[in-house]
């Protein structure tokens, strides 16, 4: 029986991941525990623990159960980490440090036999410009947001604790996840989902950046697949470089809008209202636009190839009614 | 009057830096304070504070004096950080976190007027193989030692605290510093100095790696120059990428030995005893061998061009008698 712990299991990706693990029987007979500050009504049926990941005693308690696989998705999103510096570093960095320390303590208490798989969700926000045309697997991480900096720090800690054998970690630098279901969150990237989701639901959406903005999205379904794939990967194949750029597709906001038009017509497109927001533009214009994620592809990670596919995934998985 | 604080001011580089600041009058009328666990007999005449950089209260006390320029050189060396994981992360990472936090507190208490220049000594140990022929300025940091990982984490924190305006930081990735005067230290790179220093002093030296090992050294004098140059640099020129690969020269151990032969003859070379050490080899074989440090050179950082120059610097600055 595989004991699985999802930190941030109440969030959108955490719930998708939990459902995927159960529906696809990814770990036969899995004993699944979700941890988060709060859980959605009618969410995935699994054991739930409510608490704050930045509480070291709570993290020690979670580690003491010696989960075989830990997905660490708990984070303050980019916009909030930029607005509240101290909170961002506390939740996005220090909590990961406490988690790694607690897992190391369990490793040592077990005489070295306990060594959990740790799948850490990093982000392409680790990158900062100027960029090459396509970002390769050996391009430097020079984050230009606190969120990105916190992800770099955590990746580096996960790698070093893994190199020493305390955990068996892997960090996935997720693309912009799009189309997110439900309500907007505080992520600066939220509008990339909003301009598709709201019109498909007959509602107006705000577009705070020009249509020429290019970005690197993948669907929530792909994100959940990346995570389960990483949980079962032979980490020896990583050859000591445990942070991977995930596949996605390079498209502009205009490409998104054209795909929306093909699916839902001009009436849907007319619901998108351009309202330029310099604060969001300042964050987004520094984001990477295109990648050559050769390592991840060679390791079997897969994402959508067109934005039409991304919209189709949203409609299949999440469109109400 | 410029208030200057050197953390790690009792160490070899700290002492060289302090002497350079005083002898070359780098900051006219400088008020210089050295902080370290201990200081050498007959060291540089300056204010000295003894303590442990991993003590948050002590770091707050140092920050409360609001130094204008802080050189942060305090660290556990690579060999020791590899042998004592917890101590390495405590001294090499957590202490820097406490320092940055304390400086941010002073920044805020000053109403935003206090924003010290912080020069952080990082290392080319942030890199891990496989490498291109020459490591460029946009090559990823994928450390394969705890020391290197700790340096990546600190660089990233220094950059983010700087981006937010709490400090004005810059991180210098120092080459292997060679020829180090005095006694060997616990750094895995110690032999690169030992095989020159000991023979020049008529003593036997151990060579734990093959002569074919290639590395990237610069002299202690260059290191002190890098640091003072960084302290006065217009950081706007860094354009948000505040960690810089420092210049050095690419040479093999055989090149070093030939340079020694030219200076001190076969008699000196005969004092080098090959005693292969797999543990040291395992660390050193992963180190970078050659760089194209274009950004640092464009910003005015300079190092030696030949190993003969590096030996000459040792003989001028440090050879006893």
């Amino acid at each position: 029986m595989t004991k699985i712990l999802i930190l941030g299991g109440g969030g959108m990706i955490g719930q998708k991941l939990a459902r995927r693990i159960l529906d696809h029987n990814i770990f036969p007979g899995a004993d699944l525990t979700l941890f988060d500050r709060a859980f959605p009504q009618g969410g995935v049926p699994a054991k739930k623990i409510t608490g704050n990941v930045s509480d070291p005693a709570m993290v020690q308690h979670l580690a003491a159960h010696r989960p075989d696989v830990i997905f660490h998705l708990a984070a303050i999103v980019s916009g909030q980490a930029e607005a509240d510096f101290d909170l961002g570093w506390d939740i996005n960095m220090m909590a990961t440090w406490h988690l790694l320390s607690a897992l190391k303590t369990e490793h040592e208490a077990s005489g070295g036999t306990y060594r959990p798989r740790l799948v850490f969700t990093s982000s392409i926000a680790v990158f900062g410009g100027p960029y090459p045309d396509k970002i390769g697997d050996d391009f430097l991480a020079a984050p230009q947001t606190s969120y990105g900096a916190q992800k770099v720090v955590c990746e580096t800690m996960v790698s070093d604790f893994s190199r020493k054998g305390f955990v068996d970690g892997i960090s996935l630098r997720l693309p912009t996840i799009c189309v997110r279901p439900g309500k907007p969150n505080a992520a600066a990237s939220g509008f990339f989902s909003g301009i598709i989701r709201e019109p498909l639901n007959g509602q107006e959406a705000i577009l705070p950046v020009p249509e020429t903005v290019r970005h690197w999205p993948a669907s929530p379904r792909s994100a959940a697949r990346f995570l389960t794939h990483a949980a079962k990967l032979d980490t020896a194949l990583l050859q000591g470089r445990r942070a991977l750029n995930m596949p996605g597709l390079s498209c502009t906001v205009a490409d998104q809008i054209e795909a929306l038009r093909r699916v839902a017509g001009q009436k849907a497109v007319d619901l998108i209202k351009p309202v330029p927001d310099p604060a969001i533009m300042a964050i987004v214009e520094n984001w990477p636009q295109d990648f050559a994620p050769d390592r991840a592809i060679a390791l079997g990670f897969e994402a959508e190839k067109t934005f039409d596919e991304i919209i189709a995934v949203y409609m299949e998985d999440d469109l109400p009614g």
Side-chain angles (χ1 to χ4, degrees), chain A residues 261-278:
Chain A
R261 196 190 318 269
R262 283 190 288 273
V263 170
Q266 184 62 35
K267 190 172 50 111
V269 171
D270 288 341
L271 290 166
I272 300 172
K273 303 293 170 203
V275 182
D277 182 329

Side-chain angles (χ1 to χ4, degrees), chain A residues 203-254:
Chain A
Q203 291 162 15
E204 207 170 82
I206 301 298
L207 176 60
V209 304
E211 291 190 14
T212 51
V213 164
R214 181 173 283 281
H215 68 131
W216 183 253
S219 74
R221 189 195 285 175
S222 286
R225 278 186 179 156
F226 296 158
L227 289 161
T228 55
H229 188 67
K232 297 195 144 194
L233 196 72
D234 175 4
T235 53
L237 298 171
L238 298 175
Q239 298 183 292
R241 290 192 182 169
R242 289 175 180 260
L244 284 175
N245 300 339
M246 287 293 104
L249 69 95
S250 179
C251 71
T252 62
V253 169

Side-chain angles (χ1 to χ4, degrees), chain A residues 70-87:
Chain A
I70 300 159
F71 296 96
H72 180 14
L73 287 73
I76 296 292
V77 295
S78 55
Q80 197 179 355
E82 203 56 28
D84 191 336
F85 186 87
D86 294 344
L87 184 69

Side-chain angles (χ1 to χ4, degrees), chain A residues 12 34 49 65 99 115 121 165 175 193 203 222 255 265 298 301 312 315 318:
Chain A
M12 190 276 285
L34 311 183
I49 302 177
H65 281 83
L99 173 65
R115 182 170 176 250
T121 51
S193 290
Q203 291 162 15
S222 286
D255 295 334
F301 292 92
M315 295 176 74
D318 293 303

